[in-house]
């Protein structure tokens, strides 16, 4: 390989030979050093500015590869050493845990997996091997409370069916652990209130995993909305829906899921719009359309169309469904532009768009940002809050407010009328400390 690269250089044979030998020597040194356990590599040896006479440095830096004209990649990941990181117990090893959350710890800089909780020990043993979790730190739902004796666990991350969020939050708080809980926070307002109280009583933190509020594209759109970059926002339209399968899954069981598309995916429209404008709706109006002959919809709702009215008069139109092809987008209509995300709420591949007039043209842009792992950003934010004793940006109160609005939306649909909500003055009333990045 080196031979062929050097052969393409226009150099005299003896100079090429010298370069090949010296580079080989450097690579051999790197190999020997790495076999001896030293933290060095060929690129460091080839770039002497990265070596330090004083020994290992806290943060690694590398010179940029591209010219100033190119897209910035953001800072080099500089994860904390493992022994310093905040330890997480993952409760529930289903789709979200296995497909997204556990792999995302690889992109975390301040957090590590230290325990697993599952009803299936064989599965937990396999996952423990995959992620380097000690067998002693595997729990089931019955012996979970003994996690209080595990000093490696700082935070319990609850990724269970919605009806189990309250129980495991309360048990975690009683075990002296902080809690990161998946959305929707719980099935009822009363459960959310019990969860907040349990964490307050135990002096533990409670954060709801609203990953969109930690995602950089959405944060940029929030800035455009709040700073009125394109004038006042006049209207917002958002859709989050998908075609659900197996009728026997817990998501279609009212007792286990609390509801259908609304608390599961419609919540993204509601929560993201509240995040973008920072205000709380004063009135909601919803209509539900469900084909109860469809075996999937014996217990929970299918299509929900709803309107949110905010104190300044702004209206947002939202749609969610369990029976249309997956579609996840929103668009903000402002005086001098429209802008938004499509896809908006997916795990990856999020895409911003904006359109505005310039001279004789209408400019339609789709800016492409360097992608960031949303799960890693939210998990590391929780770790920051634990370490520095700050209230998470999306605390229990944020999840409770969504649940109050969802209950009002169900009431509105049942009684086919607009429902008024408590009027709040000010912005971001239910959010905690702003994420570092
Ligand atoms: P899932 O069905 O794939 O996994 C649920 C896990 O809970 C499984 O391991 C299952 O064995 C376990 N479990 C324990 N008791 C159970 C019971 N009585 N019935 C069914 N399962 C039981 O679900 P999921 O998609 O991983 O969702 C879990 C949670 O994560 C839900 O609250 C969901 O709303 C949330 N979620 C969030 C996102 C997000 O992007 N933030 C995405 C998907 C799901």
């Amino acid at each position: 390989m080196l031979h062929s690269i050097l052969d393409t250089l226009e150099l005299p044979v003896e100079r090429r030979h010298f370069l090949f030998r010296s580079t080989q020597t450097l690579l051999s040194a790197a190999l020997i050093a790495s076999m001896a356990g030293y933290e060095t590599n060929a690129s460091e040896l080839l770039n002497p500015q990265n070596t330090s006479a004083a020994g290992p440095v806290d943060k690694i830096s590398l010179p940029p590869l591209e010219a100033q004209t190119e897209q910035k990649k953001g800072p080099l990941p500089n994860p904390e050493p493992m022994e310093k990181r905040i330890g997480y117990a993952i409760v529930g090893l289903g789709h979200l845990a296995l497909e997204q959350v556990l792999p995302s710890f690889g992109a975390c800089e301040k957090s590590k997996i230290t325990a697993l909780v599952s009803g299936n020990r064989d599965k937990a043993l396999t996952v423990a091997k995959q992620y380097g979790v000690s067998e002693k730190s595997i729990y089931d739902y019955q012996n979970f409370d003994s996690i209080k004796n595990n000093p490696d666990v700082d935070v319990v991350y609850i990724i269970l069916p919605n009806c189990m969020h309250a129980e495991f939050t309360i048990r975690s708080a009683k075990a002296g652990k902080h809690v990161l809980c998946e959305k929707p926070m719980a099935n009822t307002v009363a459960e959310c209130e019990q969860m907040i109280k349990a964490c307050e009583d135990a002096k533990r933190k409670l954060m709801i995993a609203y990953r969109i509020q930690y995602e950089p594209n959405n944060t940029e759109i929030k800035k455009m909305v709040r700073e009125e970059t394109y004038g006042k926002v006049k209207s917002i339209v958002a859709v989050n829906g998908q075609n659900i399968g197996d009728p026997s899954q817990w998501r279609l069981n009212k007792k286990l899921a609390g509801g259908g598309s609304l608390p599961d995916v419609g919540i993204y429209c509601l929560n993201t719009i509240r995040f973008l404008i920072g205000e709380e709706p004063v009135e909601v109006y919803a209509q539900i359309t469900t084909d109860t002959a469809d075996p999937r919809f014996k217990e929970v709702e299918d299509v929900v169309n709803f309107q949110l009215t905010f104190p300044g008069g702004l209206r947002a139109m939202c749609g969610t469904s369990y029976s249309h092809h997956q579609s996840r987008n929103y668009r903000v209509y402002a005086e001098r532009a429209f802008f938004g995300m499509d896809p908006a709420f997916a795990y990856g591949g999020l895409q911003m768009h904006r359109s505005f007039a310039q001279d004789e043209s209408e400019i339609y842009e789709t800016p492409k940002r360097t992608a960031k792992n949303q799960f890693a950003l939210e998990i590391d934010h929780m770790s920051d809050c634990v370490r520095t004793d700050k209230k998470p940006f999306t605390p229990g109160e944020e999840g409770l407010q969504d649940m109050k609005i969802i209950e009002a939306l169900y009431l509105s649909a049942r009684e086919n009328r607009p429902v008024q909500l408590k009027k709040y003055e000010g912005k971001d009333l239910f959010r905690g400390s702003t994420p570092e990045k």
Side-chain angles (χ1 to χ4, degrees):
M1 169 79 172
L2 259 176
H3 256 307
S4 56
I5 293 168
L6 292 168
D7 282 348
T8 59
L9 299 175
E10 288 184 6
L11 297 169
V13 174
E14 54 293 1
R15 175 101 176 100
R16 282 208 311 255
H17 183 69
F18 169 75
L19 273 175
F20 175 71
R21 293 308 296 255
S22 27
T23 315
Q24 245 192 346
T25 310
L26 285 169
L27 288 173
S28 310
L31 186 64
I32 292 163
S34 75
M35 284 165 71
Y38 291 111
E39 294 230 331
T40 185
N41 57 39
S43 110
E44 280 174 353
L45 291 167
L46 290 164
N47 294 291
Q49 71 269 33
N50 283 328
T51 58
S52 157
V57 287
D58 279 349
K59 292 199 168 167
I60 314 286
S61 64
L62 291 174
L65 285 181
E66 287 94 11
Q68 287 293 326
T69 52
E70 306 307 294
Q71 181 187 353
K72 307 277 175 297
K73 289 201 176 114
L76 196 70
N78 261 297
E80 288 180 356
M82 279 295 169
E83 70 273 12
K84 279 198 182 171
R85 297 197 200 184
I86 299 293
Y88 284 71
I90 307 298
V91 190
L93 300 178
H95 285 89
L96 185 70
L98 296 185
E99 291 168 5
Q100 303 297 329
V101 173
L102 287 163
S104 295
F105 273 87
C108 284
E109 300 187 2
K110 303 169 181 180
S111 320
K112 62 182 172 186
I113 310 159
T114 50
L116 301 172
V117 185
S118 170
N120 180 337
R121 184 155 178 91
D122 288 340
K123 178 163 67 170
L125 280 168
T126 304
V127 177
K129 278 202 192 108
Q130 290 169 340
Y131 288 95
V133 174
S134 154
E135 207 180 311
K136 285 184 298 197
S137 294
I138 297 177
Y139 301 85
D140 59 31
Y141 302 123
Q142 285 71 43
N143 70 15
F144 170 75
D145 308 274
S146 62
I147 208 161
K148 68 170 182 290
N149 303 320
N150 190 335
D152 295 336
V153 175
D154 303 291
V155 180
V156 173
Y157 188 169
I158 299 167
I159 320 182
L160 291 166
N162 308 342
C163 67
M164 300 170 78
H165 292 184
E167 178 194 337
F168 277 84
T169 296
I170 295 165
R171 286 170 74 180
S172 304
K174 284 190 177 151
K177 306 300 179 188
H178 303 283
V179 178
L180 173 55
C181 179
E182 263 309 327
K183 49 52 63 181
M185 181 170 171
N187 282 0
T188 63
V189 164
E191 282 181 344
C192 295
E193 287 168 345
Q194 289 158 18
M195 292 158 77
I196 292 172
K197 181 164 187 317
C199 291
E200 272 172 9
D201 288 351
K203 299 195 169 35
R204 298 293 88 180
K205 310 217 174 281
L206 172 57
M207 170 170 152
I208 309 305
Y210 286 122
R211 59 186 162 80
I212 298 300
Q213 296 202 32
Y214 301 89
E215 196 283 321
N217 287 285
N218 286 285
T219 304
E220 193 175 324
I221 292 189
K222 175 184 119 177
K223 201 162 168 257
M224 283 152 62
V225 168
R226 306 272 184 116
E227 292 179 1
E228 298 186 354
T229 313
Y230 296 103
K232 284 198 185 318
V233 171
K234 298 306 213 170
S235 174
I236 303 179
V237 176
V239 173
N240 194 24
Q242 61 201 37
N243 206 344
I244 200 157
D246 180 11
S248 69
Q249 62 185 288
W250 67 262
R251 280 187 165 78
L252 299 171
N253 176 315
K254 177 98 170 30
K255 200 160 156 263
L256 301 186
S261 61
L262 182 57
D264 189 27
V265 282
I267 194 172
Y268 282 89
C269 304
L270 167 62
N271 188 261
T272 305
I273 291 169
R274 289 183 47 242
F275 163 67
L276 294 179
I277 62 180
E279 295 176 7
E280 298 305 328
V282 286
E283 184 184 282
V284 297
Y285 192 17
Q287 272 123 3
I288 295 182
T289 317
T290 306
D291 175 5
T292 48
D294 186 324
R296 297 173 298 178
F297 305 122
K298 296 287 175 216
E299 297 193 15
V300 301
E301 78 279 358
D302 177 15
V303 181
V304 189
N305 294 107
F306 58 99
Q307 181 178 296
L308 310 168
T309 305
F310 290 89
L314 173 69
R315 287 210 164 93
M317 303 298 299
C318 305
T320 184
S321 156
Y322 262 168
S323 63
H324 69 54
H325 182 59
Q326 66 168 1
S327 184
R328 318 183 187 288
N329 51 66
Y330 69 79
R331 187 173 277 183
V332 177
Y333 297 89
E335 288 169 306
R336 296 191 300 277
F338 69 77
F339 49 90
M341 299 285 297
D342 189 2
F345 312 118
Y347 299 137
L350 302 192
Q351 182 58 61
M352 184 195 286
H353 61 267
R354 65 180 154 212
S355 192
F356 51 92
Q358 197 174 71
D359 302 326
E360 292 187 15
S361 302
E362 177 71 15
I363 312 289
Y364 182 80
E365 294 175 338
T366 53
K368 303 221 170 350
R369 281 183 151 268
T370 301
K372 297 272 187 243
N373 183 313
Q374 304 163 46
F375 291 96
L377 291 174
E378 74 178 358
I379 295 166
D380 274 348
H381 173 69
M382 179 67 178
S383 298
D384 267 338
C385 291
V386 167
R387 185 159 306 145
T388 57
D389 194 20
K390 283 187 301 202
K391 189 163 190 142
F393 188 55
T394 53
E397 289 80 355
E398 173 76 353
L400 167 65
Q401 178 63 3
D402 271 348
M403 199 47 61
K404 284 184 177 169
I405 299 168
I406 286 173
E407 287 193 355
L409 287 166
Y410 280 132
L411 175 66
S412 166
R414 262 197 320 273
E415 298 189 353
N416 193 20
R417 65 172 176 91
V419 169
Q420 266 67 46
L421 288 160
K422 185 172 170 184
K423 190 171 178 179
Y424 293 98
E425 303 285 341
K427 291 201 171 171
D428 298 312
L429 297 176
F430 301 108
R431 298 191 180 90
S433 61
T434 307
E436 267 179 28
K437 58 175 180 179

